[in-house]
Amino acid sequence: MARNVEPMFSAIDAMDVEGFLSNLAENVTFQFGNAPALVGREAVREGVVAFFSSIAALRHEMTGKWEADEITILRFMTYYTRHDHNEVEVPCAVILHHAENTLIDDYRIYIDLAPVFAPPVGGEQVAAAH
């Protein structure tokens, strides 16, 4: 079944926490990179609000999408704008499990955020290696 997840990523790119959360089941498990998994929509809200405060902006460019039954796998190039106005690009993959009501009950993001928070080198940010 084809699922339209693009509006959810538009909400993320707009840093619209409530718009993002509207796609998640109440009992969602959410794991971002190597951070501990968050369980429940309220825990995800707190985690996402904290993360959004650590960056100035972000945007996703989808470079792949695969679906099988209740699973959606996405590949992105994600662009983070730091508070120092440098933009850093980082590849990532997202695996979503959709509950029977189509809300997402398991959300895993595979990404290395180290380049986003690394200090600029020579006054300019070094982009992540591809």
Side-chain angles (χ1 to χ4, degrees):
M1 163 192 266
R3 292 186 173 82
N4 184 11
V5 295
E6 287 80 357
M8 178 176 68
F9 284 93
S10 293
I12 294 168
D13 289 351
M15 297 173 77
D16 173 3
V17 176
E18 297 307 316
F20 167 62
L21 291 172
S22 70
N23 295 277
L24 307 182
E26 188 60 45
N27 65 339
V28 65
T29 298
F30 177 88
Q31 187 166 19
F32 193 128
N34 62 354
L38 302 173
V39 179
R41 200 181 292 152
E42 191 55 40
V44 175
R45 175 183 284 110
E46 291 173 16
V48 170
V49 166
F51 179 71
F52 283 172
S53 72
S54 72
I55 58 173
L58 77 157
R59 64 186 169 86
H60 292 82
E61 286 184 13
M62 190 179 302
T63 58
K65 180 179 180 183
W66 301 268
E67 296 179 304
D69 300 323
E70 67 279 353
I71 303 294
T72 303
I73 301 169
L74 305 162
R75 184 181 62 213
F76 293 98
M77 186 57 69
T78 308
Y79 299 86
Y80 293 95
T81 302
R82 298 161 30 130
H83 288 296
D84 64 8
H85 305 291
N86 286 307
E87 184 176 79
V88 181
E89 66 180 70
V90 183
C92 78
V94 174
I95 300 175
L96 306 172
H97 180 269
H98 304 269
E100 289 182 17
N101 61 4
T102 73
L103 292 176
I104 297 164
D105 63 358
D106 196 288
Y107 192 122
R108 308 292 169 143
I109 303 168
Y110 296 91
I111 191 168
D112 177 6
L113 287 176
V116 176
F117 298 105
V121 176
E124 294 184 25
Q125 178 62 38
V126 177
H130 299 289

